[in-house]
Structures are given as structure tokens and as C-alpha cells.
């Protein structure tokens, strides 16, 4: 059949492009930037501001001088080679960046700080990101002690002896329950480590470090006890598989102990002749006193230890504030309000000026430790308020549901309430952490050399007298990167933890 | 016959203190109480011992003695021969001054940035994001130092304003921004209530120096407050008339007049005059001199806190669902009234509590004045007075108390407000 109506088209024309003003970037610009007179003015003003700022900053920044030994030389180069154009003198960063990062830490030991940082990041990674293997959590258990040892140096036995306290507490809690009952086990797990730290840990660490002393004394006793315990432990653990093998292993352990850990014992008994020997007991790295800590590393140490330590204290305070127990409730309220009501700088001055009054006469301890304690207490009060908000935001049904399941207080908190409350409070907690990290700059006022304190130090030298903006930019950028990534992480966490269907 | 005898109550056993939940909480509390008291006692005992060892006592008598130091930025009369107590008062007023100025400016910055961040204009929204993230993620201390450096390093010297073709000019002919501070016009009362002194100036001519301007300002504020109250009464009457008759009497002009006229009259009666800063010899004189320290602290705190307030404002606006606006339009309420009657009351309920806690933060952060040498209460009471008298314990205690009381007052006010605006549910 032929086409009956000749003028009816049987094929479609290709679609025409929409009008130029109604599509593509042009439409976007019209819609977003010039949709009305007010918007147009705003756009123009913003463009002008951006142009002014960038045209001022970009040439200054990217034309900067990297190679000079002092500000005077920088200015000479600027006047002779660049015709007097205002440019940045990045040479100060090039020559002092190590100091801004590490303070007065001995340069040959920078690797220790870097290693500590890597270890720290590896330890927190499995806590921060749920996709990583759970076995990595063991790193988080070991890391605090190793990081501490790497940073401060000295003998390795100090941190190990402190860690032993935790092992002791854990052992009492696990095995004590069968022997003495639950309550006694909990009390023992709290009291025994504290007593151990107060009275035994110090002498023990010193004793082990003194293995090399030729005098037969306390350290020899420790050495003997240690060898016996190591042998007994190995024997008990391996006994199940084979009695003879276990005995052999125990004997090997004792020999290894005297060969590797404490060869000096044999020297003392006159069985061996060592002029100067090895042995694990003497193992240590150069001790670095706290006053050499500085720069960004100091901010990081203060911030991170404050963050890690303040979270558990903050949770306890929040629970205390929600508690029905009158005295505990009032104590938490007063503590939180007093800490929050007074600025951090006043607390820091308290730590540096007044702490000596509150402690027994004659005690004095490290300023860095004092600051860490103050910063921890300070941020734990803020964390407590954030978590209290999370606890209050949970519907009552959750509490009642936990009760009706027959869970006791700690079980219901651990299994039902806190996981949800903490999830709700994540943004607040991270904000508190960011605030804490930024506030570590205040330690400059009590004589610690954080980046801002170092800025004054650098400017006080004749080479760099009068330099401002380059240091500001460098330090500001460092802080910005850290804080900004923390806030991004909190957004990521909110997204992954969001279980409601929206 | 059977007798119903009472079930003999179980005798109380000591072990119940631990194993019976009814008594256990009491036990825990008693132990906690004893531990807390022991801890406190230990601290107090140590302090007493330490003080005795140093030969110091605990005495606030030093407040009556001569301070012997000068304060360059002050709101009330003060000289180095005044007492420590007055120096502390000057410091407290300075803290409050920068706190009030900062809160006001931070609110302005925050509201503008928060609203603009929600703007459909892509560039403006991005620009505001850069502002907010930039200030939120860098320590405020650094910002204070940066602004201080901008003020003292990049601003023109007073001598640049001199000559026929000066390198720098005053903004609007009356504000001079120099590297020694900002000079703004001030108000001088020629017929001050406190009486005026005629002070001889360098070039021989007498200059009127107000001595009682505090009293004058008090009167002006009083009159202003009273006239605002009167205008509110008029508005209230108009509301009533509108509800009864449906016609609202025109009161706009009358209200404006009630507020403006009495205040202007008082100003004229007091002989208020604008005192412009003028360049004399090497520096400006006249007007109000705002030192760099004040300017740096004020702007840095405002910009920093403003970034946080911007986020609060944004969250508050986003928290009001669009359904509310649509419902208001469906009811036939005009856009302006929708904003006033529907959106704002709901947004403010979300905005105000965190806003006030930001004010609190700003007030506490004002103690960073130490970085620029602004003489706030920390620099007087916790700084020079402490160092001169050597009474760390007393000074730090009072300093902490001052901040604590300020915070408690502000958060108390916030709690009252929260209770007033709380959604009345069920």
C-alpha cells in the first residue's frame, strides 16, 4: 500500500537542542549566580572579593623565596632579583620546619617520633575504621606503652613494668572470681594494680635496669624470681601437650634468661667474665626530657593523650550525672560545672602555679604530665556533657527494655544504652576533640614550646626577626589539615553508623 | 484458734550492705563520700602544710593596698595609686567589654554567614563555607595573633595621615585606622552631670574633659529604656484595639517618636558633641582610642565565634521543615508574617541554646587577651596583681570564681529561657 497521506511524516525529526540559555553551563550560571538583582549583586561582590584576595595572596605565595639564610637575605634577593615585589620568604620554613614539627627533640632521634606516630595511627586505625581486621586491636593494647617508650626513651623496663599492672588486674579479675567471688575480684582488680603501681612497679623497673650492677642485691632477687616465673609460666602453658617438652622448654627459658636478659647474674656469681656486655636488661634508648619536646609534636601528644584519656572519664562522669545516687550525682555535677565554667588557660595556670601547693611537700612532677592531666580533666567535663545529651536523647523505652530483660545496671549500660548514646553523641564528641586539639596551643603561655610558642622563639633570633605571615600560614595549615580531617571523619562515621532508614 | 502472728522480719545482716540492692547503693555512696572527703582533706592538708612551709598565709588584705601599675585601656578612672581591688574591677570591666562587643559582632557575622551559606548563589555559599571551615579549624589563639600582626604591621602610621597628599586617609573623615590602634569619634558632654574639668593642652587652649560621663550614659540609657518600654505599651494597646475592632490604629510614627524624641532631648540637654579624632603632633587625639589589643581580640573572637554561630543558624533554619512554610502559605499568611510568626519562633528555639553557649565560650576565650596584652581580668587579677603580691592561691581562686559565676549566670539565664520556649508536650 502506498502512503495515502503524503504529507504525514513517518520518521521523527532529531530532537533539537534546547535554547542556549536553557541548558548546560549557561543555564546553571543564570540559575545559580544571576537569578535576580540581589543574587547578581552578591555574585559580583563575591567575585570582586575573591579576585582581590587571590591577586594579593597567590603571587605572594607562589613567588616566594625558598633559598635564603635570613630575612635580610630574603629581602636582598627580593630587591635585586624580583624588583622589590612583595613575596613570601618561605626560607624560614625551609630552615626551621624540623623545629616547628619536633621542637628541640634531638635530631638523630626524629625517627622515634615518626615511628611512634606510625604506630599510633596503626593502633587507632582498627578502632576508627570497622573494615580492618579485628586482630589489629591488639596493637591498640600494646601501643600506649611502646609509644611512651619511643618518645621519652630510657629503659624499656619502665613501660613494661607499668603494663604488668594491667596484666595483674586482668588476671585478678579473670581468675579471682572463682576463688574469692565476683565482688572481691572486682575490688581486687582495682586495688591490687594500684598498690602494685604505687609500691612495686618503680623499684621493679629500677631493679631490672640495675641488673648490670655488680653488687648482689635486690636486682639479683628480681632476676631469680623473673627467671623462675618465666620458666614456670612456660611450663604451665605447654604442659598439656607434652610433659618432657615442657620441662625442656622451661630449662631453655632459664638458660635464655641468663644468657640474653640478664647475663650479669652469671658475672656476679663469678661464673662468667664479661668486661662490658649486652643483655636485654640494659636495653634502652637515649632518654629525652620533656622540656625538649615541642612544636607540632607537642600539640599532637597533648591533644591525643587528652582525647584518649578523657573519653572514659567523660563517660563515667556522664553516667554519674545521670545516676540516682545522690552523692555521686552531686559530685559529678559540681565537677563538670566547675571545670566548664572556668577557661582552660586558668586551669593551665593552676597546673603550673598551684599544683605544687596541693601535693605533699617536696613532690614535683613533670610539667608535661601536669598539663596532660589538666587537659584531660578539662575535656572530660565537656565530653561528659555531650554524652549526657546522648543519654537523655535515648527514648525511655530503651532503659525500660534493658530493665525488663533482667540486665543489671552495668550490663544494660554496656550492651544497650551506651552503644546508642555514644552513636548519637559522635558529632559532639568529635567537636570537643577538635576544640581540645586547637586549645593545646594555649600551653604556649605556661612556657611549653608548642608551634605558637616556637614562633616567638624563631622570631627572637636575629636571622628571622620580623617574620610573621609565613609562620602563620604554615602553622595554620597544619592545624587546619588535622582538624578538618577529624571533622570529615565524624561525618563519615555518622554516615556509616546511621541505622535508621531514611 | 489460730493466731495470725507477724512474719518475723529477717534480722539485718551486715552482708546485706553488699548483696542487697536496697542497701548496696547506700554502701556505695558512703564509700564514695568517704573517699571524696579523704581526697579533699588530703589536698587541703597539703595546701596548709605547703603554705606554712613557705611562711605564707591565706589573706585577701592585699586588695586594699596600692596597686602601683598602670592599665592602658580602661572604662573607669584608674591610676597606679589606686588599690588592687580597683585594678581588678577595671580588668573585670574590660573582660565584660570585649565579651559584649564580641558577642554582638559575632552574632552579626554568624547570622550573615549562616544565611548566606544557605543561599542559592553558588559562589556566595562556597565563600561562606570557606569562611566557616577556615575559622573553625584553626586555633583562635592563632587568629588573635594574626589580626594583631595585621593591625600593628600592615596599618599606616599616624604620620602617614599628615600632609597635603597623605598616604592614608581617615574612613569617612572620622575613623583613623593606624598601627597604634583605631581612633573613632566619641561623644563629649559639654554640660555633663558629673561636672567638667578644663584641662590645659599643649598648645595652651583649654580642652573640656568630661569627668562624669558614666553618670551621663546611665541617664541616657535610662531614658532610652523607658521610652522603648513606652513604645511597647503603645504597640500593645494597638494590638488590643485591633483584636476588638479589627482595625489597627496607625502607631508607627508615634512609636518612633516615643523612642527617639526623649533621647535626643536628653542628649541636647547634656550638650552632647561629637569629638572627632584629630592628628596632633605625632598622634591622634580626641575621640575614642581603641588599642590594637582590643581590636585584635574583639575581631578575632568575633570572627571565630561567628563561624560557629553560622553553623548554628544554618542548622536552626534547616530544622524548620518546609511543610511549615507551605502550611502558613496555605492559610493565606503573607511571607513576611510567615517568617515572623511561623519560621522564626521555631528556628529560634533550636538556635538560642547553642548560641548562648557560644557566647559563654567567647567570654571564656576572652582570657586569651594574654596573647596581645589586653588588660582583662586575667591580666590584672591573675597577672600583674598575682605577680606583685605573690598570692597565687588567693588570686587564682578569685579568678576562677569570677569566670564560674559569670558562666553560671549565663547558663542559668539559658535554662530559664529553655523552660519558657520548651515545646509543651503531653
Amino acid at each position: 500500500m502506498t502512503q495515502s497521506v503524503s504529507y504525514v511524516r513517518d520518521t521523527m525529526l532529531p530532537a533539537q537542542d534546547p535554547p542556549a540559555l536553557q541548558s548546560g553551563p549557561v543555564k546553571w550560571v543564570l540559575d545559580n549566580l544571576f537569578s535576580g538583582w540581589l543574587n547578581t549583586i552578591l555574585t559580583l561582590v563575591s567575585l570582586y572579593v575573591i579576585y582581590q584576595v587571590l591577586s594579593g595572596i597567590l603571587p605572594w605565595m607562589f613567588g616566594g623565596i625558598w633559598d635564603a639564610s635570613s630575612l635580610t637575605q630574603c629581602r636582598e634577593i627580593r630587591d635585586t632579583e624580583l624588583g622589590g615585589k612583595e613575596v613570601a620568604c618561605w626560607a624560614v620554613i625551609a630552615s626551621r620546619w624540623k623545629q616547628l614539627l619536633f621542637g628541640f627533640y634531638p635530631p638523630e632521634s626524629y625517627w622515634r617520633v615518626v615511628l611512634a606516630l606510625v604506630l599510633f595511627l596503626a593502633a587507632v586505625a582498627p578502632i576508627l575504621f570497622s573494615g580492618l581486621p579485628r586482630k589489629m586491636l591488639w596493637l591498640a593494647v600494646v601501643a600506649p606503652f611502646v609509644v611512651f617508650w619511643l618518645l621519652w626513651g630510657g629503659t624499656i623496663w619502665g613501660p613494661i613494668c607499668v603494663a604488668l599492672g594491667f596484666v595483674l588486674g586482668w588476671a585478678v579479675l579473670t581468675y579471682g572470681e572463682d576463688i574469692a567471688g565476683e565482688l572481691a575480684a572486682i575490688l581486687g582488680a582495682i586495688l591490687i594494680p594500684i598498690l602494685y603501681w604505687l609500691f612495686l612497679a618503680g623499684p621493679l623497673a629500677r631493679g631490672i635496669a640495675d641488673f648490670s650492677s655488680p653488687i648482689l642485691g635486690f636486682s639479683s632477687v628480681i632476676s631469680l624470681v623473673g627467671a623462675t616465673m618465666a620458666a614456670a609460666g612456660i611450663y604451665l602453658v605447654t604442659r598439656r601437650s607434652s610433659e618432657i617438652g615442657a620441662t625442656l622448654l622451661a630449662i631453655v627459658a632459664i638458660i635464655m634468661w641468663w644468657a640474653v636478659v640478664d647475663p650479669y647474674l652469671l658475672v656476679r656469681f663469678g661464673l662468667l667474665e664479661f668486661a662490658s656486655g649486652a643483655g636485654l636488661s640494659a636495653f634502652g634508648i637515649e632518654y629525652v626530657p620533656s622540656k625538649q619536646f615541642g612544636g607540632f609534636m607537642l600539640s599532637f601528644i597533648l591533644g591525643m593523650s587528652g582525647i584518649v584519656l578523657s573519653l572514659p572519664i567523660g563517660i563515667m562522669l556522664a553516667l554519674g550525672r545521670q545516676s540516682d545516687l545522690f552523692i555521686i550525682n552531686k559530685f559529678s555535677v559540681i565537677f563538670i560545672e566547675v571545670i566548664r565554667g572556668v577557661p582552660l588557660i586558668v586551669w593551665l595556670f593552676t597546673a603550673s602555679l598551684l599544683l605544687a601547693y596541693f601535693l605533699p611537700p617536696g613532690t614535683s612532677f613533670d610539667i608535661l604530665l601536669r598539663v596532660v592531666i589538666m587537659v584531660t580533666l578539662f575535656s572530660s567535663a565537656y565530653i561528659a556533657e555531650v554524652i549526657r545529651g546522648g543519654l537523655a536523647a535515648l527514648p525511655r523505652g530503651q532503659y525500660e527494655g534493658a530493665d525488663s530483660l533482667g540486665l543489671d545496671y552495668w550490663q544494660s549500660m554496656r550492651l544497650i544504652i551506651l552503644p546508642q548514646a555514644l552513636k548519637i553523641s559522635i558529632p559532639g564528641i568529635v567537636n570537643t576533640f577538635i576544640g581540645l586539639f586547637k586549645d593545646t596551643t594555649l600551653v604556649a603561655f605556661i612556657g611549653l614550646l608548642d608551634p605558637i610558642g616556637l614562633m616567638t622563639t624563631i622570631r627572637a633570633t636575629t636571622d628571622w626577626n620580623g617574620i610573621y605571615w609565613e609562620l602563620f600560614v604554615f602553622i595554620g595549615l597544619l592545624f587546619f589539615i588535622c582538624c578538618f580531617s577529624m571533622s570529615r571523619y565524624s561525618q563519615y562515621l555518622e554516615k556509616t553508623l546511621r541505622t535508621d532508614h531514611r | 484458734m489460730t493466731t495470725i502472728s507477724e512474719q518475723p522480719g529477717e534480722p539485718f545482716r551486715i552482708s546485706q550492705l553488699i548483696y542487697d540492692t536496697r542497701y548496696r547503693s547506700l554502701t556505695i555512696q558512703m564509700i564514695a563520700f568517704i573517699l571524696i572527703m579523704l581526697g579533699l582533706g588530703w589536698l587541703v592538708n597539703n595546701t596548709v602544710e605547703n603554705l606554712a612551709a613557705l611562711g605564707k598565709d591565706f589573706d585577701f588584705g592585699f586588695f586594699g593596698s596600692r596597686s602601683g601599675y598602670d592599665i592602658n585601656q580602661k572604662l573607669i578612672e584608674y591610676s597606679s595609686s589606686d588599690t588592687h581591688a580597683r585594678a581588678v574591677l577595671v580588668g573585670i570591666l574590660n573582660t565584660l567589654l570585649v565579651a559584649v562587643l564580641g558577642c554582638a559582632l559575632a552574632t552579626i557575622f554568624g547570622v550573615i554567614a549562616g544565611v548566606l551559606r544557605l543561599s542559592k548563589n553558588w559562589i556566595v555559599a562556597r565563600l561562606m563555607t570557606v569562611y566557616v571551615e577556615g575559622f573553625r579549624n584553626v586555633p583562635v589563639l592563632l587568629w588573635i595573633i594574626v589580626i594583631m600582626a595585621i593591625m600593628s604591621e600592615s596599618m599606616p602610621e599616624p604620620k602617614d595621615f599628615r600632609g597635603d597628599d597623605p598616604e592614608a586617609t581617615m574612613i569617612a573623615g572620622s575613623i583613623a585606622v593606624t598601627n597604634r590602634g583605631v581612633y573613632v569619634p566619641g561623644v563629649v558632654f559639654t554640660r555633663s552631670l558629673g561636672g567638667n574639668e578644663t584641662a590645659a593642652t599643649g598648645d595652651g587652649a583649654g580642652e573640656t574633659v568630661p569627668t562624669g560621663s558614666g553618670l551621663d550614659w546611665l541617664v541616657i540609657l535610662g531614658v532610652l529604656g523607658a521610652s522603648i518600654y513606652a513604645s511597647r505599651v503603645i504597640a500593645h494597646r494597638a494590638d488590643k484595639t485591633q483584636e476588638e475592632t479589627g482595625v489597627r490604629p496607625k502607631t508607627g510614627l508615634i512609636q518612633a517618636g516615643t523612642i527617639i524624641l526623649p533621647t535626643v532631648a536628653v542628649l541636647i540637654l547634656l550638650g552632647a558633641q561629637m569629638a572627632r579624632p584629630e592628628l596632633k603632633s605625632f598622634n591622634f587625639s580626641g575621640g575614642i582610642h581603641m588599642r590594637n589589643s582590643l581590636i585584635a581580640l574583639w575581631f578575632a573572637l568575633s570572627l571565630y565565634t561567628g563561624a560557629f554561630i553560622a553553623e548554628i543558624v544554618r542548622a536552626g533554619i534547616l530544622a524548620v521543615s518546609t511543610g511549615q512554610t507551605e502550611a502558613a502559605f496555605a492559610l493565606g499568611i503573607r511571607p513576611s508574617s510567615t517568617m515572623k510568626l511561623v519560621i522564626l519562633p521555631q528556628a529560634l528555639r533550636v538556635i538560642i541554646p547553642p548560641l548562648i553557649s557560644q557566647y559563654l565560650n567567647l567570654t571564656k576565650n576572652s582570657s586569651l587577651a594574654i596573647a596581645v596584652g589586653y588588660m582583662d581580668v586575667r591580666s590584672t587579677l591573675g597577672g600583674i596583681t598575682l605577680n606583685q603580691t605573690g598570692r597565687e592561691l588567693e588570686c587564682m581562686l578569685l579568678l576562677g570564681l569570677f569566670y564560674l559565676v559569670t558562666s553560671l549566670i549565663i547558663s542559668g539565664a539559658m535554662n530559664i529561657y529553655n523552660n519558657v520556649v520548651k515545646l509543651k508536650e503531653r
Side-chain angles (χ1 to χ4, degrees):
Chain A
M1 203 175 100
T2 54
Q3 246 180 339
S4 55
V5 195
S6 63
Y7 53 82
V8 173
R9 200 189 272 283
D10 61 349
T11 53
M12 287 297 279
L13 273 179
Q16 254 187 343
D17 285 341
L21 288 181
Q22 290 299 314
S23 70
V26 179
K27 177 176 160 55
W28 184 86
V29 165
L30 280 181
D31 279 359
N32 286 297
L33 303 181
F34 299 101
S35 58
W37 60 269
L38 182 67
N39 242 346
T40 312
I41 293 174
L42 279 177
T43 306
L44 293 179
V45 169
S46 315
L47 284 177
Y48 179 73
V49 169
I50 292 171
Y51 171 74
Q52 282 293 323
V53 170
L54 288 187
S55 68
I57 286 180
L58 286 184
W60 178 82
M61 231 167 158
F62 291 104
I65 298 160
W66 285 92
D67 196 18
S69 64
S70 71
L71 188 61
T72 341
Q73 206 187 347
C74 247
R75 288 186 176 143
E76 274 167 21
I77 297 176
R78 183 189 69 189
D79 290 339
T80 51
E81 294 176 18
L82 300 167
K85 202 166 61 134
E86 282 290 336
V87 290
C89 181
W90 295 120
V92 65
I93 308 295
S95 81
R96 294 301 183 101
W97 67 271
K98 282 181 186 161
Q99 201 179 22
L100 282 170
L101 289 184
F102 298 104
F104 293 100
Y105 207 82
E108 66 276 6
S109 301
Y110 282 165
W111 62 270
R112 277 159 52 180
V113 182
V114 178
L115 190 63
L117 177 68
V118 170
L119 197 65
F120 171 78
L121 291 179
V124 292
I127 301 174
L128 298 185
F129 301 102
S130 48
L132 292 167
R134 298 286 86 189
K135 284 215 169 134
M136 278 178 78
L137 280 174
W138 280 103
L139 264 181
V141 177
V142 183
F145 305 102
V146 182
V147 166
F148 177 85
W149 176 65
L150 278 175
L151 289 176
W152 272 269
T155 164
I156 197 172
W157 295 102
I160 287 184
C161 289
V162 172
L164 266 181
F166 287 101
V167 177
L168 209 60
W170 171 80
V172 170
L173 193 63
T174 340
Y175 299 111
E177 200 177 331
D178 304 334
I179 303 166
E182 190 191 353
L183 199 72
I186 293 174
L187 280 180
I190 298 170
L191 281 181
I192 291 176
I194 291 178
L195 289 176
Y196 163 80
W197 283 321
L198 282 181
F199 299 109
L200 212 59
L204 193 66
R206 271 194 298 280
I208 297 175
D210 276 353
F211 274 172
S212 53
S213 77
I215 308 150
L216 203 63
F218 180 59
S219 45
S220 313
V221 178
I222 295 174
S223 178
L224 280 173
V225 172
T228 321
M229 277 175 66
I234 288 175
Y235 177 75
L236 284 177
V237 171
T238 50
R239 186 176 53 173
R240 283 199 194 139
S241 44
S242 142
E243 192 85 17
I244 303 165
T247 320
L248 280 177
L249 271 179
I251 293 170
V252 169
I254 290 181
I255 293 171
M256 287 295 284
W257 179 279
W258 278 323
V260 181
V261 179
D262 186 24
Y264 298 94
L265 193 72
L266 303 177
V267 179
R268 263 168 293 183
F269 284 116
L271 298 174
L272 259 175
E273 288 290 331
F274 263 110
S276 68
L280 276 182
S281 69
F283 188 63
I285 43 180
E286 189 199 348
Y287 170 69
V288 181
S290 295
K291 65 172 192 290
Q292 292 189 9
F293 283 42
F296 205 65
M297 163 192 152
L298 180 71
S299 300
F300 212 79
I301 293 174
L302 285 178
M304 291 309 145
S305 43
I307 288 170
V308 170
L309 296 174
S310 69
L311 195 55
I313 302 179
I315 293 175
M316 296 315 288
L317 280 173
L319 291 180
R321 201 171 177 168
Q322 292 284 84
S323 161
D324 295 331
L325 308 180
F326 179 81
I327 289 170
I328 291 176
N329 178 301
K330 287 291 166 285
F331 172 75
S332 308
V333 170
I334 292 174
F335 183 87
I336 292 172
E337 291 302 330
V338 168
I339 294 266
R340 274 162 45 95
V342 178
L344 178 59
I345 192 158
V346 173
W347 288 121
L348 289 177
F349 275 109
T350 307
S352 78
L353 289 174
L354 291 190
L355 219 56
Y357 282 107
F358 298 142
L359 295 173
T363 35
S364 69
F365 61 99
D366 202 55
I367 179 82
L368 201 53
L369 189 59
R370 281 189 257 171
V371 170
V372 167
I373 292 175
M374 267 304 165
V375 163
T376 306
L377 291 181
F378 185 77
S379 72
S380 61
Y382 280 81
I383 296 273
E385 280 302 272
V386 172
I387 293 176
R388 186 175 73 112
L391 288 173
L394 276 193
R396 279 213 63 79
Q398 296 294 329
Y399 292 87
E400 288 159 0
D403 286 347
S404 68
L405 283 174
L407 301 177
D408 69 16
Y409 178 78
W410 289 108
Q411 283 172 330
S412 67
M413 284 300 145
R414 195 161 51 86
L415 300 171
I416 298 195
I417 306 298
L418 277 181
Q420 300 182 70
L422 288 180
K423 194 178 85 179
I424 303 176
S425 4
I426 282 171
I429 293 176
V430 177
N431 273 343
T432 313
F433 284 163
I434 295 176
L436 171 70
F437 187 58
K438 287 186 294 183
D439 278 348
T440 57
T441 50
L442 301 197
V443 298
F445 296 126
I446 53 168
L448 292 184
L449 290 170
D450 79 315
I452 290 183
L454 276 172
M455 206 153 66
T456 327
T457 316
I458 291 175
R459 217 177 286 143
T461 58
T462 43
D463 281 352
W464 302 110
N465 189 9
I467 199 146
Y468 288 95
W469 317 111
E470 294 81 357
L471 292 172
F472 290 152
V473 170
F474 183 71
I475 295 169
L477 260 183
L478 280 180
F479 273 101
F480 181 85
I481 291 169
C482 285
C483 297
F484 191 66
S485 40
M486 268 197 259
S487 74
R488 288 290 119 165
Y489 170 72
S490 110
Q491 287 177 5
Y492 154 83
L493 207 56
E494 268 178 74
K495 232 181 270 166
T496 33
L497 288 181
R498 179 176 291 161
T499 44
D500 54 346
H501 306 285
R502 265 195 290 181
Chain B
M1 198 175 111
T2 55
T3 52
I4 300 167
S5 60
E6 264 189 17
Q7 197 77 26
E10 245 180 77
F12 178 78
R13 280 168 289 115
I14 287 291
S15 63
Q16 271 180 301
L17 280 179
I18 295 175
Y19 293 110
D20 190 328
T21 43
R22 283 172 298 176
Y23 299 106
R24 189 192 272 172
S25 70
L26 274 180
T27 319
I28 294 173
Q29 293 202 62
M30 276 322 290
I31 292 174
F33 185 71
I34 291 170
L35 284 179
I36 292 168
M37 283 300 135
L38 278 179
L40 277 180
W42 184 69
L43 291 180
V44 170
N45 182 39
N46 283 336
T47 314
V48 171
E49 270 181 34
N50 280 315
L51 283 176
L54 289 169
K56 284 183 176 176
D57 54 354
F58 192 74
D59 178 19
F60 290 97
F62 66 92
F63 274 116
S65 57
R66 185 177 173 278
S67 67
Y69 62 92
D70 269 318
I71 297 178
N72 49 27
Q73 182 96 42
K74 52 189 180 247
L75 289 176
I76 54 173
E77 279 303 304
Y78 169 81
S79 73
S80 56
S81 54
D82 281 320
T83 58
H84 279 296
R86 194 159 176 90
V88 172
L89 185 63
V90 173
I92 288 179
L93 286 178
N94 277 345
T95 293
L96 295 180
L97 170 74
V98 81
V100 170
L101 287 178
C103 288
L105 195 61
T107 314
I108 296 173
F109 285 148
V111 170
I112 293 177
V115 171
L116 285 185
R117 237 193 129 175
L118 289 172
S119 155
K120 284 196 200 82
N121 190 315
W122 188 83
I123 290 190
V124 172
R126 289 298 162 287
L127 210 58
M128 288 304 136
T129 310
V130 169
Y131 159 68
V132 168
E133 294 296 347
F135 273 88
R136 266 158 47 105
N137 288 314
V138 174
V140 62
L141 178 59
L142 193 63
W143 285 120
I144 294 176
I145 301 177
V146 167
I147 296 185
M148 185 67 180
I150 293 177
M151 289 304 295
S152 56
E153 296 296 312
S154 338
M155 291 303 155
E157 290 177 44
K159 70 174 167 55
D160 294 338
F161 289 85
R162 186 182 303 286
D164 294 328
D165 185 24
E167 289 173 45
T169 49
M170 290 160 83
I171 301 166
S174 51
I175 300 174
V177 182
T178 73
N179 65 351
R180 294 188 196 174
V182 176
Y183 296 83
V184 294
V187 177
V188 178
F189 302 103
T190 49
R191 287 187 290 278
S192 172
L193 291 172
N196 285 327
E197 279 178 6
T198 307
T201 49
D203 46 2
E207 194 185 355
T208 321
V209 179
T211 49
S213 64
L215 194 60
D216 300 327
W217 284 114
L218 221 59
V219 169
I220 292 169
L221 275 182
V223 170
L224 191 65
S227 41
I228 288 176
Y229 179 73
S231 117
R232 290 285 290 274
V233 169
I234 294 172
H236 192 66
R237 287 246 176 90
D239 284 348
K240 262 192 171 169
T241 319
Q242 186 181 16
E243 275 165 21
E244 281 165 8
T245 62
V247 182
R248 189 182 176 85
K250 287 207 166 20
T251 56
L253 267 181
I254 302 174
Q255 277 187 50
T258 331
I259 295 178
I260 295 168
L261 287 180
T263 316
V264 171
V266 170
L267 282 176
I268 293 172
L269 272 179
L270 291 173
Q273 277 180 359
M274 189 77 107
R276 288 220 176 100
E278 276 167 47
L279 192 57
K280 282 187 184 155
S281 56
F282 294 105
N283 213 338
F284 282 92
S285 69
I288 299 171
H289 178 200
M290 300 169 100
R291 286 178 177 274
N292 276 339
S293 50
L294 172 63
I295 295 284
L297 193 63
W298 177 25
F299 273 84
L301 288 178
S302 309
L303 285 167
Y304 181 77
T305 315
F308 287 87
I309 293 180
E311 285 298 272
I312 293 169
V313 169
R314 190 173 76 109
I317 294 174
L318 287 178
V320 182
S321 70
T322 48
Q324 298 285 328
T325 322
E326 290 163 5
F329 287 165
L331 285 175
I333 303 178
R334 275 177 298 186
S336 60
S337 305
T338 305
M339 197 53 164
K340 196 175 129 200
L341 300 173
V342 180
I343 310 290
L344 269 188
Q346 298 186 62
L348 282 184
R349 185 180 290 136
V350 183
I351 290 173
I352 293 214
L355 184 69
I356 290 177
S357 84
Q358 284 305 324
Y359 288 165
L360 206 58
N361 279 346
L362 191 146
T363 311
K364 283 187 282 175
N365 277 339
S366 72
S367 57
L368 294 181
I370 184 177
V372 286
Y374 178 72
M375 297 297 280
D376 72 332
V377 63
R378 204 224 57 85
S379 306
T380 54
L381 177 60
I384 304 178
T385 293
L386 185 151
N387 287 334
Q388 281 192 356
T389 59
R391 300 206 170 260
E392 295 102 344
L393 209 57
E394 293 91 336
C395 287
M396 294 303 285
L397 201 64
L398 278 185
L399 185 62
L401 262 183
F402 164 73
Y403 282 112
L404 193 60
V405 168
T406 316
S407 310
L408 289 182
I409 289 174
I410 297 180
S411 58
M414 180 169 79
N415 284 343
I416 293 174
Y417 172 84
N418 276 344
N419 281 333
V420 170
V421 302
K422 196 164 64 181
L423 277 179
K424 311 286 188 294
E425 282 179 333
R426 274 181 275 178

